[in-house]
Amino acid sequence: MIAMDRKANATHPSAAARIRYAFTDVWVLSKRELLHWGGNPWGIMIGWLFPVMMLLMFGYLFGGAMAVPGGGSYFEFLMPGMFAMTMFFGVESTVMAVTTDASKGVTDRFRSMPIHASAVLLGRCMVDMLNSIIGLLVLIVTGLLLGWGWHEGADHALAAFGLLLLLRFSLLWVGIFIGLHATNPHNVSMVQLLVWPVGFLSNIFVDTTTMPAWLGAIAEFNPLSATSMAARELFGNPGLRGESWMSEYAMLLAVGWPLLLLVIFLPLAVRSYRRLNR
C-alpha cells in the first residue's frame, strides 16, 4: 500500500507527502529494531541491569572506603555519576548494531530501497534513545529504592535528566560513526575495551582532587565528568567542586561537550553512511 502510494506520487510528491513518507520510513525501521528486542530479551534486560550491578558493587562493596569531599553519603555522590556512565555504556550497543547491519549487507539493502535517506540513521537513533531511557529509569527506580533522592526540586531534577539524555544523544552519533567504520563485529571488542578506561578516568567514582594533579586534569577534561558534576549540583547531591576552570563551569560544559560532539560526529556519521561501501 505504501509503495503504491509512493509510486502514484513519485513524479511530483508534495512537501507534506515527503514528510509523511519520511516519518513512515523511520517508524518502520524503528519497529524492525524493536522486534529484535523480542528475539533477544535477555540481552536487552542484562543491558538494563548491568549498571544496577555496578551501582550495588561500588556503592556497597567499595563505598565504605570512599570519602566524599565536604562530607555526605558516597551513595548519593555515586548516583549521578552512574547515570552518566549508563549513558556512556550505550555506545557499545550502538556500535555493535550498526556494525552488524553494515557487515551483513543489511544497510546496503536499505540504501537501495525507495526509502528516505535519513530513515536508517534516525530509526537507529529512536530505538537506541528509547533503550537508554528505559535503562536510566531502571537505575533511577533502583536508586530511589536504596535511599537516593534529589533535593533541589523536580525542575532541577528534570534539567539533570535532560543533560544526561543530551549526552547520550551526542554519544549515539559517535557510536554510529565508529560502527560504520568498523570492519566487522569482532572489532567492536576494541571499543568495549576503551569504554572502561574512559569511564573510569572521570569523577564518576571518585573526586578528581584525590588523583595526581596531571591525572586529575585529564579526568576533569572528560565530558562524563562535566555531566556528572552538573547532575550532582542539580540533584543537590554531595560532591564539592574543585578549583579548576572546568569544575567551576561544569554546568556550561555539560551542555557544551555534547553539542561539540554533535557538531563533529553527526555530519561525519551521515557522510560515512552515504559513502558506505562494503
Side-chain angles (χ1 to χ4, degrees), residues 29-95:
L29 291 173
S30 298
K31 280 202 305 183
R32 168 187 175 264
E33 298 299 332
L34 291 174
L35 289 173
H36 287 173
W37 289 14
N40 184 29
W42 291 111
I44 297 296
M45 291 179 65
I46 289 173
W48 295 338
L49 294 176
F50 183 71
V52 173
M53 183 189 71
M54 287 195 63
L55 173 66
L56 296 175
M57 181 175 66
F58 281 92
Y60 290 102
L61 291 181
F62 306 138
M66 301 291 188
V68 178
S73 166
Y74 175 72
F75 186 75
E76 288 215 329
F77 172 86
L78 177 64
M79 279 301 301
M82 283 305 307
F83 291 148
M85 192 71 161
T86 300
M87 299 298 96
F88 187 48
F89 280 154
V91 173
E92 298 180 58
S93 60
T94 299
V95 173

Side-chain angles (χ1 to χ4, degrees), residues 76-256:
E76 288 215 329
F77 172 86
L78 177 64
M79 279 301 301
M82 283 305 307
F83 291 148
M85 192 71 161
T86 300
M87 299 298 96
F88 187 48
F89 280 154
V91 173
E92 298 180 58
S93 60
T94 299
V95 173
M96 176 61 79
V98 172
T99 302
T100 300
D101 278 353
S103 64
K104 291 182 177 180
V106 175
T107 305
D108 284 334
R109 287 197 292 273
F110 284 149
R111 294 175 64 203
S112 67
M113 296 171 64
I115 60 177
H116 197 274
S118 63
V120 177
L121 296 184
L122 291 179
R124 165 58 48 196
C125 288
M126 286 184 61
V127 173
D128 281 6
M129 286 301 295
L130 176 61
N131 189 22
S132 296
I133 290 171
I134 295 174
L136 183 61
L137 289 173
V138 170
L139 198 59
I140 291 170
V141 171
T142 303
L144 291 173
L145 292 174
L146 295 175
W148 169 80
W150 54 80
H151 312 290
E152 297 294 335
D155 55 340
H156 285 70
L158 289 175
F161 293 132
L163 289 177
L164 290 163
L165 292 176
L166 176 62
L167 176 67
R168 175 64 185 108
F169 185 68
S170 66
L171 291 173
L172 191 154
W173 289 98
V174 177
I176 291 175
F177 174 74
I178 295 173
L180 290 172
H181 284 273
T183 55
N184 58 68
H186 297 291
N187 291 340
V188 177
S189 60
M190 299 301 297
V191 177
Q192 294 171 330
L193 290 175
L194 290 175
V195 164
W196 294 100
V198 173
F200 278 91
L201 190 57
S202 67
N203 65 11
I204 288 177
F205 300 103
V206 296
D207 185 73
T208 55
T209 58
T210 63
M211 305 176 186
W214 64 271
L215 190 61
I218 296 174
E220 286 193 350
F221 196 73
N222 191 331
L224 297 179
S225 294
T227 299
S228 298
M229 190 169 294
R232 289 183 182 115
E233 181 178 348
L234 289 168
F235 288 135
N237 293 149
L240 293 179
R241 290 184 173 210
E243 298 180 356
S244 68
W245 184 91
M246 300 195 75
S247 296
E248 185 67 23
Y249 293 96
M251 196 73 68
L252 178 63
L253 290 171
V255 176

Side-chain angles (χ1 to χ4, degrees), residues 173 261-272:
W173 289 98
L261 291 174
L262 280 173
V263 168
I264 295 173
F265 285 98
L266 194 155
L268 287 176
V270 171
R271 188 175 69 172
S272 298

